[in-house]
Amino acid sequence: MCDSIADFIVHVDESLEDEDMHNLETVIRMNDGVISVGSNEKTSHLLMVLYNPELSRGSHILGSIKSQGLHAELVGF
């Protein structure tokens, strides 16, 4: 188990269908250190990501989202 956990919210500009959101969550989970990814049905354009900051950075995870051709930004940074 890791000693530290960090989290952030990602705002995805595009509206995604359920399958596309599931695929995006899968891409995010493939990043080293990602512990959990999830969104609320009512605010599906917002994703909460929990990760181990000793293994990854929020900017790196955001890059993996953008590499899918999506426009997104970290919220609150």
Side-chain angles (χ1 to χ4, degrees):
M1 185 80 178
C2 64
D3 291 332
S4 59
I5 296 175
D7 63 5
F8 61 86
I9 296 174
V10 177
H11 178 267
V12 178
D13 295 342
E14 290 82 5
S15 295
L16 301 177
E17 299 293 328
D18 289 342
E19 182 178 348
D20 295 327
M21 180 59 76
H22 175 74
N23 291 339
L24 177 58
E25 290 176 0
T26 299
V27 166
I28 295 169
R29 283 186 186 98
M30 290 174 22
N31 283 275
D32 287 340
V34 171
I35 299 165
S36 176
V37 178
S39 64
N40 183 302
E41 198 173 287
K42 294 181 182 179
T43 56
S44 61
H45 61 286
L46 299 174
L47 291 162
M48 173 68 82
V49 180
L50 277 69
Y51 69 102
N52 179 342
E54 296 173 6
L55 299 175
S56 190
R57 299 279 178 253
S59 60
H60 177 77
I61 297 168
L62 179 63
S64 72
I65 296 168
K66 289 182 172 185
S67 74
Q68 301 303 301
L70 299 170
H71 300 92
E73 54 273 342
L74 301 179
V75 176
F77 278 80

